Amino acid sequence: MKKMNNNNSLTAFVLAFVDELIKVNVTDVVISPGSRSTPMAMIMAEHPMMNVYVNIDERSAAFFALGIAKSKRKPVAILCTSGTAAANYMPAIVEAYYSRVPLIVLTADRPHELRDIGAPQAINQIGLFGEYTKWFAEMAIPEDTPEMLNYVRTFASRASGTAMQAPKGPVHLNFPFREPLVPLMEAIEHHDQGSYVNVTIGAPSLTTNQYDSIHDRIAAKKKGLIICGAIDDPSFAEAVIELAEKLQYPIFADPLSQLRSGHHNKELIIDSYDTILRNKQILQLYKPEVIIRFGEMPVSKALTLYIKQLDHIDHIVIDGGGGWREPTLSASDMIHCDEVNFCSGLSDVIKELNNKSHWVTQWIEMNAMIKSIWNGLEYEEDLFEGKVFSELTKTLPYNTTLFVGNSMPIRDLDSFFLTNDKSIRVLANRGANGIDGIVSTALGASIKCSPLVLVIGDLSFYHDLNGLLAAKMHKLNMTIIVINNDGGGIFSFLPQAQHQNHFETLFGTPLGLDYEYVVNMYDGEFNRVTKWNDFREKVQQSIHTDGLSVIELTTDRTKNVEMHRSLWNMAVAEIDAFLGVDHEN
């Protein structure tokens, strides 16, 4: 009788929690199999409105959920059993924390009497993820009293609300479950039961007086820049374009700002700033009086160095998440305001429009010059890694999602993915900038975003080969472009490359793997291309074919560095000519 009572309590308690998640629009969960999480897993699988994805490897599962949450812009739950299963969530939770992606982490646990006494599969899960979750709660032992059912419903609503509150991020609920663990499935009824809490989240804004004050400071400053890093808000583009047009400030648009692709006016978008800023004369001759910056810090190192050498200017950083994303240590103002609200609010107080100045026209002309060079690139015989993105810009259909791996791919994206009207959404894991979990994250995003193309390096691909199982299990459609230079290509650009004695062992790390066998194992189609015509054909074919498709380009690390540097030198010389610089005198 006691076990039956425990079963009743367990069933009612967990059902109330799951039912409440549905009510607050948490309808996706990624579950990794395990015993202690049985009651939650079974009830979630039974709920008709819950989308359940099983992912066996907890590390991949968490990144998979990260991808779903990133693409849908709403919380996604992950569920695992007790012990080291939960510890495997850590890399994805770190990424979610820094990239501000809402996750609801649900870990099953041994009850209190089985902790710290040598019971199997029991580790200390209290605050397991430390500062990388916004909120942690150790849940009560299940009971089915009205008060406890309201308690568990409230915590479900609070978890979702906290995950979505700026800055968005992961929350962690730890559930201790006593045996028997199998719920009373025949007693489950999905209907509106009990009370629940609606969490309403507003977007922070400034007062009219505050907008007036900012405008008074910058109104007379014609040499301004708007810098946009990663920001994934569909309403941001039009708002920031309107502000830029009123101020007549050029916009340095990181590819993750979503400003390089779409139907908005792109006259003021500077997409080749990373290349322009490699010219040392620019650093001396083109110093802004004011910078307004939105989103994460852009990928470009040249831009970071440019900002760092500017002294005594208004450098205004807008962060709707209330954080401190300012690694240059040069901000004059940190403004915690929703980015769209800020653009609209400041635009509204600007009564007199700036005229197009010499400052803005010169940035536009230099940008056009670099784009002309890039667009004229041939390299038809050489698989130059940077050309992948210029080819994709032309090849991808409208409304494609382009997911990009870290290290060299994201940097080549910055240089060679230029403005277009195709509304290509660009995603990446730039919170912690790691190369792990990229495949799983992209596969998760592919559930919402289709077609989706992932561009990734061979080492990063190797890091997450387990993630390919999700494509097979859930019949997902995705194209993966693997740039295989047999190692860590980015290290060839760094000072370590000058020390050849141990470079290959410690940094180049060639793997010599043939990924065709792995792709076949997961029922994917594998193609290795050696010419750009083949590349274009295979990309177009894969996008219109269901299932997993992997296209591999084999490149040479040393030759790739030479081609990059040759192009940068060509661009620097063109900028010198534009500026009238004579190196012989």
Side-chain angles (χ1 to χ4, degrees):
M1 182 63 67
K2 186 175 182 181
K3 285 190 176 183
M4 179 61 72
N5 289 339
N6 181 58
N7 237 245
N8 287 333
S9 297
L10 179 72
T11 304
F13 188 86
V14 175
L15 176 59
F17 179 79
V18 173
D19 187 65
E20 188 66 21
L21 286 182
I22 298 293
K23 284 184 169 65
V24 294
N25 201 29
V26 180
T27 55
D28 298 284
V29 62
V30 182
I31 299 175
S32 296
S35 177
R36 191 59 54 166
S37 53
T38 293
M40 188 80 74
M42 290 184 68
I43 289 175
M44 284 179 160
E46 184 71 12
H47 202 295
M49 297 181 65
M50 183 69 81
N51 303 314
V52 173
Y53 303 93
V54 174
N55 198 310
I56 295 170
D57 183 335
E58 286 84 6
R59 183 169 172 269
S60 293
F63 277 110
F64 187 75
L66 178 82
I68 302 174
K70 189 187 288 278
S71 64
K72 292 190 174 183
R73 304 185 181 99
K74 71 172 196 172
V76 172
I78 51 178
L79 171 67
C80 72
T81 189
S82 62
T84 55
N88 278 284
Y89 279 165
M90 177 63 93
I93 290 172
V94 170
E95 175 61 29
Y97 177 81
Y98 283 115
S99 58
R100 301 181 177 180
V101 176
L103 288 181
I104 299 178
V105 184
L106 308 174
T107 55
D109 201 353
R110 293 310 201 244
H112 303 80
E113 66 271 17
L114 293 181
R115 297 178 185 176
D116 201 27
I117 60 170
Q121 210 169 322
I123 67 172
N124 183 5
Q125 296 177 199
I126 306 300
L128 179 62
F129 306 111
E131 64 181 26
Y132 298 113
T133 52
K134 296 179 60 181
W135 177 53
F136 167 77
E138 164 76 344
M139 300 299 289
I141 296 291
E143 296 180 23
D144 62 352
T145 63
E147 183 179 27
M148 291 305 289
L149 296 182
N150 284 340
Y151 152 82
V152 77
R153 283 181 174 275
T154 299
F155 271 59
S157 295
R158 184 178 174 185
S160 176
T162 303
M164 286 296 288
Q165 184 180 15
K168 298 175 184 178
V171 299
H172 176 203
L173 304 182
N174 192 58
F175 283 83
F177 291 139
R178 288 194 176 109
E179 295 181 348
L181 297 171
V182 177
L184 300 174
M185 302 301 289
E186 65 276 9
I188 292 178
E189 294 182 33
H190 297 289
H191 55 79
D192 197 359
Q193 44 183 308
S195 61
Y196 59 95
V197 181
N198 284 315
V199 179
T200 301
I201 300 169
S205 189
L206 305 181
T207 66
T208 301
N209 287 340
Q210 288 172 318
Y211 286 123
D212 284 334
S213 176
I214 295 167
H215 179 242
D216 290 343
R217 285 172 54 190
I218 67 175
K221 296 176 179 178
K222 307 302 181 186
K223 295 182 178 180
L225 290 176
I226 295 175
I227 298 175
C228 298
I231 185 166
D232 190 31
D233 183 336
S235 58
F236 177 69
E238 294 295 341
V240 76
I241 293 294
E242 180 187 8
L243 178 62
E245 289 174 341
K246 287 193 170 184
L247 294 171
Q248 280 300 302
Y249 289 174
I251 302 175
F252 286 9
D254 182 274
L256 297 174
S257 69
Q258 315 305 326
L259 294 176
R260 295 193 188 183
S261 185
H263 296 293
H264 50 272
N265 183 5
K266 291 180 278 294
E267 180 188 10
L268 295 175
I269 300 292
I270 309 299
D271 50 6
S272 297
Y273 60 86
D274 177 76
T275 302
I276 295 170
L277 294 176
R278 293 175 187 271
N279 187 300
K280 294 180 180 179
Q281 301 300 320
I282 294 293
L283 306 181
Q284 301 302 318
L285 299 175
Y286 288 82
K287 294 185 177 181
E289 299 168 299
V290 58
I291 289 175
I292 303 174
R293 185 165 69 76
F294 301 93
E296 296 179 29
M297 193 65 199
V299 171
S300 170
K301 185 176 181 180
L303 176 60
T304 300
L305 295 175
Y306 174 70
I307 294 173
K308 282 185 173 182
Q309 59 93 46
L310 299 172
D311 293 323
H312 310 298
I313 71 164
D314 287 313
H315 180 184
I316 303 168
V317 178
I318 318 301
D319 189 347
W324 201 274
R325 299 190 292 194
E326 213 302 88
T328 70
L329 303 178
S330 63
S332 62
D333 297 80
M334 298 293 293
I335 297 179
H336 295 157
C337 174
D338 177 79
E339 291 81 1
V340 174
N341 284 349
F342 180 88
C343 292
S344 300
L346 187 56
S347 293
D348 287 344
V349 302
I350 299 174
K351 307 303 181 187
E352 195 170 317
L353 306 187
N354 284 349
N355 295 320
K356 184 170 288 185
S357 65
H358 182 67
W359 164 264
V360 71
T361 56
Q362 289 227 308
W363 279 111
I364 292 172
E365 289 175 17
M366 287 187 288
N367 191 58
M369 183 187 309
I370 299 303
K371 291 174 72 166
S372 178
I373 296 173
W374 282 187
N375 288 329
L377 291 179
E378 293 300 330
Y379 287 116
E380 199 60 39
E381 298 303 318
D382 293 309
L383 291 182
F384 171 52
E385 294 180 11
K387 190 175 169 65
V388 168
F389 293 102
S390 58
E391 287 294 332
L392 287 177
T393 307
K394 294 180 285 188
T395 304
L396 294 181
Y398 280 74
N399 299 312
T400 300
T401 296
L402 178 60
F403 205 107
V404 183
N406 286 318
S407 293
M408 279 310 297
I410 193 72
R411 287 165 174 80
D412 281 336
L413 174 82
D414 192 15
S415 295
F416 300 104
F417 180 75
L418 305 179
T419 54
N420 62 85
D421 296 325
K422 291 187 171 183
S423 298
I424 296 171
R425 185 180 178 192
V426 184
L427 299 177
N429 282 353
R430 292 300 291 173
N433 298 357
I435 66 169
D436 52 344
I438 304 293
V439 172
S440 294
T441 310
L443 282 167
S446 74
I447 291 171
K448 166 72 174 177
C449 302
S450 181
L452 186 142
V453 174
L454 167 65
V455 180
I456 191 170
D458 60 296
L459 282 186
S460 188
F461 187 57
Y462 165 76
H463 261 274
D464 197 20
L465 291 178
N466 279 1
L468 294 173
L469 180 61
K472 178 179 180 180
M473 289 184 66
H474 302 296
K475 302 186 186 309
L476 302 177
N477 305 320
M478 188 169 80
T479 299
I480 302 178
I481 298 170
V482 178
I483 301 174
N484 191 347
N485 52 34
D486 198 20
I490 194 170
F491 290 107
S492 297
F493 290 84
L494 301 179
Q496 295 94 310
Q498 305 305 313
H499 302 272
Q500 288 297 311
N501 285 351
H502 303 289
F503 177 76
E504 284 298 294
T505 301
L506 297 176
F507 304 106
T509 56
L511 301 179
L513 296 177
D514 187 341
Y515 293 114
E516 182 173 5
Y517 299 103
V518 177
V519 175
N520 290 338
M521 183 173 71
Y522 292 115
D523 293 345
E525 180 178 345
F526 181 89
N527 287 283
R528 185 176 289 111
V529 299
T530 57
K531 297 189 180 300
W532 289 114
N533 280 337
D534 293 339
F535 175 77
R536 299 177 196 115
E537 178 186 335
K538 294 302 181 185
V539 169
Q540 291 177 343
Q541 179 183 319
S542 67
I543 286 174
H544 296 97
T545 304
D546 290 343
L548 173 68
S549 176
V550 177
I551 302 168
E552 182 188 81
L553 293 85
T554 303
T555 64
D556 181 275
R557 274 188 275 135
T558 301
K559 195 170 185 178
N560 183 56
V561 173
E562 292 171 355
M563 286 190 280
H564 273 86
R565 288 179 175 159
S566 173
L567 286 173
W568 288 329
N569 290 337
M570 184 192 311
V572 167
E574 289 290 325
I575 297 295
D576 277 344
F578 176 82
L579 299 174
V581 175
D582 185 353
H583 291 286
E584 294 184 0
N585 295 317

